[in-house]
Amino acid sequence: MTIVFRLKGFEQEGFEIQYAVGVLRRGGLVAFPTETVYGLGALVWDEEAVARIFQVKGRPSDNPLIVHVSSVEMVEKVASRIPEDAYKLMEKAWPGPLTIVLPKSERVPRTVTAGLDTVAVRMPSHPVALSLIKKTGEPVAAPSANLSGRPSPTTGYHVIRDLMGRVEVIIDAGATLQGVESTVVNILTEPPMLLRPGAIPVEDVERILGRKILVPGFAKGLEQAEKPLAPGMKYRHYSPNAKLILVEVPQYTLECLRELAGYINRQASLKSNGKLCVVATDETLQYYSSNGLKTLSLGSRRDLFEIARNLFPTLRKIDEEDCRIAYAEGFPEQGLGLTIMNRLRKAASEKHYLNC
Ligand code: TXA
Ligand code: MG
């Protein structure tokens, strides 16, 4: 049986969190909000509870979990060594959507790290998440609270849809602020490497470190990663049931966007059965108005924060709308644009490249 607690705003002191703490301590699973997406948590030391996370999500066992902390002392419990660069990042970017890969301590069960010698750690900034971890008094291992392969959950409703009846507690605190997962960096390599672009742009992380971070092709969503480099990145992700076709152009000027839309309109007119949809933007909606396409807008191209926040809910909407095929427009790969393109490329089953 699953208990759903609905919190208004950032309530942190009620009996709900106290109850959830008890559930974690007794080896249960708790879905909770963070500022990025909802997480599905277990006590990091409890190997059985952690194993159940994989089972409940249908997650491949070689895809490690992120360990969530509420203090630097907790990092010292799960990491065997903390390089100077990590302290810099923790000081400037925490609490917040940055996950740091560190050498793991003996105590962290191998199930958490999928057999790796490293552990990924982050301190979320959502007051409910922070309060839950702090009151538990121990780090909490948590992947995103979706069924494996589905878009990450950005509302309590998404979590209920995916996990009702499978976990002990779901804490529903409404929509998350960022809507995309944390940025994952490995500072143990020279130069440091981006493993997953996320809610904090890699350019910001470079500024904090005072040096360049390598952005490999798989972080752009372009190719599959070798397992030891970035576990979990080899899987297709976030996918709606509909066939998602991503259309990219070399630059996203108004002129190129008009051509991009023309291409989608022509492609759509060749298809005869099933509902066709397009994930557009406020700037391009007008180009599709004459066609039989159902349009869904991610927001304005001038506000990538808004686009990122709307991305996963829109991918879920594609299925709620019963689209058979959905086309999506690309974005320039700067700042949050890189994060958005990583998610879109991983969600897409076809990628079309257009010159303009
Ligand atoms: O924003 C987030 O990061 C959310 C919230 C709940 O905090 N969590 C999240 O977890 O997105 P998940 O499991 O969906 O993604 C975690 C990713 C894994 O796919 C893996 O690639 C990477 O973090 N990761 C975890 N441990 C790692 C390690 N030791 N080395 C390299 N990458 C690791
Ligand atoms: Mg995930």
Side-chain angles (χ1 to χ4, degrees):
M1 195 184 69
T2 302
I3 298 181
V4 179
F5 291 128
R6 206 152 270 148
L7 299 186
K8 289 203 187 73
F10 288 161
E11 202 185 323
Q12 304 147 54
E13 298 305 330
F15 88 96
E16 295 92 340
I17 294 200
Q18 212 49 59
Y19 184 93
V21 166
V23 167
L24 284 176
R25 288 204 182 130
R26 287 193 302 276
L29 303 188
V30 174
F32 61 96
T34 82
E35 75 279 24
T36 56
V37 302
Y38 277 74
L40 176 61
L43 208 63
V44 71
W45 317 122
D46 190 331
E47 201 153 4
E48 261 176 54
V50 170
R52 232 184 99 217
I53 290 183
F54 285 87
Q55 189 200 335
V56 157
K57 280 181 56 94
R59 183 180 179 99
S61 60
D62 63 354
N63 191 1
L65 310 182
I66 293 175
V67 176
H68 294 68
V69 299
S70 62
S71 67
V72 174
E73 289 72 61
M74 279 191 193
V75 182
E76 287 159 0
K77 287 195 198 178
V78 296
S80 63
R81 182 172 64 84
I82 307 179
E84 202 45 49
D85 274 349
Y87 280 110
K88 261 195 213 170
L89 294 176
M90 292 190 261
E91 193 198 329
K92 293 278 197 308
W94 280 7
L98 180 66
T99 297
I100 307 169
V101 173
L102 297 170
K104 101 185 230 319
S105 75
E106 286 283 320
R107 248 188 106 192
V108 178
R110 298 233 151 232
T111 327
V112 173
T113 63
L116 297 175
D117 295 329
T118 53
V119 62
V121 192
R122 96 169 181 103
M123 187 192 295
S125 68
H126 196 296
V128 171
L130 272 182
S131 168
L132 179 70
I133 302 161
K134 207 165 168 186
K135 289 190 158 77
T136 303
E138 299 291 345
V140 172
S144 49
N146 52 298
L147 292 177
S148 208
R150 299 258 296 144
S152 297
T154 59
T155 66
Y157 174 71
H158 295 158
V159 181
I160 291 168
R161 282 291 297 260
D162 280 16
L163 300 182
M164 195 69 184
R166 298 173 186 242
V167 303
E168 279 67 45
V169 174
I170 296 175
I171 303 176
D172 175 355
T176 61
L177 175 71
Q178 306 265 11
V180 286
E181 304 92 333
S182 63
T183 302
V184 183
V185 288
N186 187 348
I187 49 158
L188 303 174
T189 56
E190 192 55 54
M193 199 191 292
L194 180 69
L195 298 183
R196 177 176 76 182
I200 169 166
V202 64
E203 294 90 339
D204 291 8
V205 185
E206 287 179 329
R207 222 165 290 133
I208 297 172
L209 282 180
R211 57 200 186 115
K212 276 275 170 210
I213 295 174
L214 183 74
V215 179
F218 65 80
K220 299 178 183 171
L222 284 176
E223 59 204 62
Q224 296 187 338
E226 289 310 309
K227 187 190 158 201
L229 220 51
M233 305 305 168
K234 63 187 169 140
Y235 298 106
R236 204 174 141 222
H237 264 96
Y238 319 118
S239 315
N241 297 322
K243 179 170 164 184
L244 186 71
I245 302 176
L246 175 64
V247 187
E248 299 186 34
V249 287
Q251 68 255 350
Y252 292 85
T253 56
L254 263 188
E255 205 182 335
C256 284
L257 283 169
R258 201 178 302 135
E259 280 195 37
L260 193 161
Y263 175 80
I264 290 176
N265 281 327
R266 281 195 303 283
Q267 288 277 308
S269 68
L270 299 173
K271 309 265 190 304
S272 54
N273 53 359
K275 185 167 175 181
L276 303 178
C277 302
V278 57
V279 179
T281 48
D282 291 353
E283 287 79 3
T284 55
L285 272 179
Q286 50 178 328
Y287 303 138
Y288 303 103
S289 58
S290 63
N291 202 284
L293 281 161
K294 163 85 189 168
T295 50
L296 304 167
S297 180
L298 287 172
S300 168
R301 286 182 171 269
R302 275 177 298 189
D303 188 353
L304 290 181
F305 187 86
E306 187 193 5
I307 304 265
R309 184 158 49 178
N310 289 332
L311 188 60
F312 287 138
T314 304
L315 291 181
R316 284 179 180 254
K317 189 109 188 281
I318 287 172
D319 287 337
E320 285 156 23
E321 287 282 345
D322 263 331
C323 311
R324 186 176 66 86
I325 300 177
Y327 298 90
E329 303 168 350
F331 292 85
E333 290 173 88
Q334 275 91 51
L336 277 178
L338 180 68
T339 306
I340 294 163
M341 285 307 281
N342 166 290
R343 304 301 187 272
L344 280 173
R345 286 177 181 146
K346 285 177 152 275
S349 40
E350 274 184 32
K351 281 157 255 181
H352 296 188
Y353 300 90
L354 209 72
N355 255 319
C356 61

